[in-house]
Amino acid sequence: MTNIRNVLQVRNIPENLVPLQGVKGVALDPDTGYTYKYESEIEIERKKKFAKMNSNRKQNKFTNTNMDEIDYICQSLTNAQIGYLMILQCYIDYGGKLIHSQKDKTPLKTGDFLKILGLEDKRQTFYDFKDKCLDKGILIYITEEETYSINKNYIFKGAFKGMGVVSVVTREIKEGLKGNKPEELAMVFKLQEFVNMRTMALVKNSNETDLNKLEFMKQKDLAAALGVSAAYLSRQLYQIEINGEYVVAKIKVGKEPTKFMLNPNIFFRGDYAKVQETIAVDVAPFFKVRKKN
C-alpha cells in the first residue's frame, strides 16, 4: 500500500471506513489508503453513558470500610446496630469525627443522632447502640471536645494504601434508611467482605486478581454468611432498593451458575472513575428497578 497518510482527524470522515484489526481507535479508507481516528457506535454510546453517570462525580463523597474488620463489627453489634453504624459512617470527617456535613462541621449531638437514625421515639435503642459501640471501641468519645468519632481502624474517610477496603457512596447510603430497615442494611454491610477487587462480584477470594480463579458465592454461601435462609434472601436481600436501583444483582448467563454482585454505583473497590467506566456502565441494566405500568 503506497502513499498512506495518517490523517487522524475526526471531522470529514468517509462513511466506508474499515476498522483496522488489532489497532484500537483507527480505521482505514479502502479507497484512499488514509487512516482516521475512529470510534464505533458502541464505544460512542459507552462514553455517553459514562459521561452521564460521572457528571456529578465531584458531588459523590465516599467513606471506606476496612474489610479485615467487618467480622469484628458484625460479631460485636446486632443487625439493627450494624445498620445504624452504616448510616453514621456517612457523617464522618477525615479525622473520623461525626459532623453534620463537610460544609457544616458542627459535631453531632444526641438529638442529631436520634433524628438521623429515625430513633426520636426510641431513645433507649439509640443509647444501647451508642454504649455497645463505645464498649467495643467502634465509637470513640472525646470528653474535652464532647464529640463522637468512628474508630478509623474500622471505617474512615480519605486515602488508603495496602489494605482491603470497600468504599461507599455516602449520598446513596443516606437515602438507604428512608426505604429500608437497618437490619436490611446490615445484610449489605456484611456482604462487603466478599466484594472482588476487579469485578465487584461476590466471591470467597475477594482479593484474587486472576479472573479464572474466582470462587463465586452461591446462594447457599450468601445465606450462610448472613445467617439467614435462602428464602429470606429472595424475600428481603434481593429486594433492597436505593434511589431506584437494586443493591444486589443476580446474574445468570447460559448454563453458568447464578452469580451475585453489589451495585458499583453505591459500593466499589479502588478508583471510583475507573469502576464506573469499566464495570458500572456495562452492568447498569441489572440493577435498574423497572417501574410497573
Side-chain angles (χ1 to χ4, degrees):
M1 193 180 303
T2 59
N3 299 321
I4 297 179
R5 181 165 59 89
N6 189 14
V7 180
L8 294 179
Q9 297 289 328
V10 176
R11 61 182 182 276
N12 301 323
I13 294 180
E15 296 181 355
N16 60 339
L17 290 181
V18 178
L20 289 179
Q21 294 293 326
V23 183
K24 185 177 181 180
V26 179
L28 174 74
D29 180 353
D31 296 333
T32 64
Y34 293 166
T35 55
Y36 295 80
K37 278 186 177 180
Y38 172 81
E39 285 187 333
S40 67
E41 292 184 5
I42 293 176
E43 186 64 22
I44 292 173
E45 185 63 25
R46 179 187 180 88
K47 286 189 174 182
K48 285 181 179 178
K49 287 182 179 180
F50 173 59
K52 182 178 180 181
M53 294 175 69
N54 203 36
S55 61
N56 62 349
R57 179 186 175 192
K58 292 183 179 179
Q59 281 71 50
N60 288 331
K61 308 300 180 182
F62 318 121
T63 57
N64 311 300
T65 302
N66 185 346
M67 297 172 72
D68 291 336
E69 300 296 342
I70 290 176
D71 277 345
Y72 175 77
I73 292 173
C74 294
Q75 292 166 8
S76 301
L77 306 178
T78 67
N79 283 336
Q81 290 171 344
I82 294 170
Y84 296 140
L85 179 66
M86 195 172 190
I87 294 296
L88 289 186
Q89 77 177 81
C90 301
Y91 292 86
I92 59 175
D93 65 9
Y94 288 97
K97 185 185 300 181
L98 287 158
I99 59 175
H100 282 81
S101 69
Q102 296 306 306
K103 292 183 178 180
D104 179 4
K105 298 183 183 298
T106 306
L108 296 179
K109 302 299 182 183
T110 297
D112 303 315
F113 289 123
L114 293 171
K115 183 176 181 180
I116 289 170
L117 300 177
L119 296 176
E120 292 170 294
D121 296 327
K122 299 179 180 179
R123 297 178 72 91
Q124 190 57 51
T125 299
F126 167 70
Y127 291 131
D128 291 343
F129 162 66
K130 181 196 69 173
D131 292 344
K132 179 61 73 68
C133 286
L134 289 171
D135 179 61
K136 296 298 182 178
I138 298 170
L139 276 183
I140 299 171
Y141 181 70
I142 302 177
T143 306
E144 295 80 6
E145 300 178 1
E146 296 184 345
T147 60
Y148 290 93
S149 300
I150 293 181
N151 191 327
K152 292 192 292 183
N153 289 332
Y154 307 116
I155 295 170
F156 61 96
K157 187 182 184 74
F160 55 88
K161 186 176 181 180
M163 62 190 302
V165 163
V166 175
S167 301
V168 180
V169 180
T170 56
R171 179 188 59 191
E172 305 297 341
I173 296 301
K174 283 181 179 180
E175 291 292 320
L177 191 58
K178 296 180 180 179
N180 302 285
K181 297 178 181 178
E183 292 86 352
E184 294 169 344
L185 295 180
M187 290 194 292
V188 179
F189 182 89
K190 293 178 181 181
L191 290 181
Q192 293 178 101
E193 183 178 358
F194 307 103
V195 176
N196 178 249
M197 63 189 305
R198 286 194 59 190
T199 65
M200 294 302 300
L202 298 175
V203 299
K204 297 178 182 179
N205 48 345
S206 57
N207 290 323
E208 179 60 64
T209 57
D210 186 339
L211 302 185
N212 294 316
K213 295 181 180 179
L214 293 182
E215 300 175 22
F216 293 97
M217 300 280 282
K218 299 177 181 178
Q219 179 160 277
K220 65 178 182 180
D221 298 319
L222 294 181
L226 298 176
V228 299
S229 66
Y232 185 85
L233 293 180
S234 299
R235 190 171 64 252
Q236 296 294 129
L237 179 64
Y238 307 147
Q239 307 306 318
I240 298 176
E241 305 174 20
I242 295 178
N243 279 345
E245 293 188 354
Y246 290 113
V247 175
V248 179
K250 298 167 60 178
I251 300 174
K252 176 71 174 176
V253 180
K255 296 181 179 181
E256 289 292 311
T258 300
K259 298 176 176 63
F260 303 87
M261 71 183 301
L262 282 186
N263 191 327
N265 289 326
I266 305 174
F267 302 89
F268 64 95
R269 293 189 65 183
D271 180 77
Y272 175 72
K274 185 176 181 180
V275 170
Q276 291 293 297
E277 184 176 14
T278 60
I279 300 177
V281 171
D282 293 329
V283 301
F286 295 112
F287 294 96
K288 194 69 176 177
V289 177
R290 295 184 180 180
K291 295 181 179 179
K292 297 180 180 180
N293 295 327

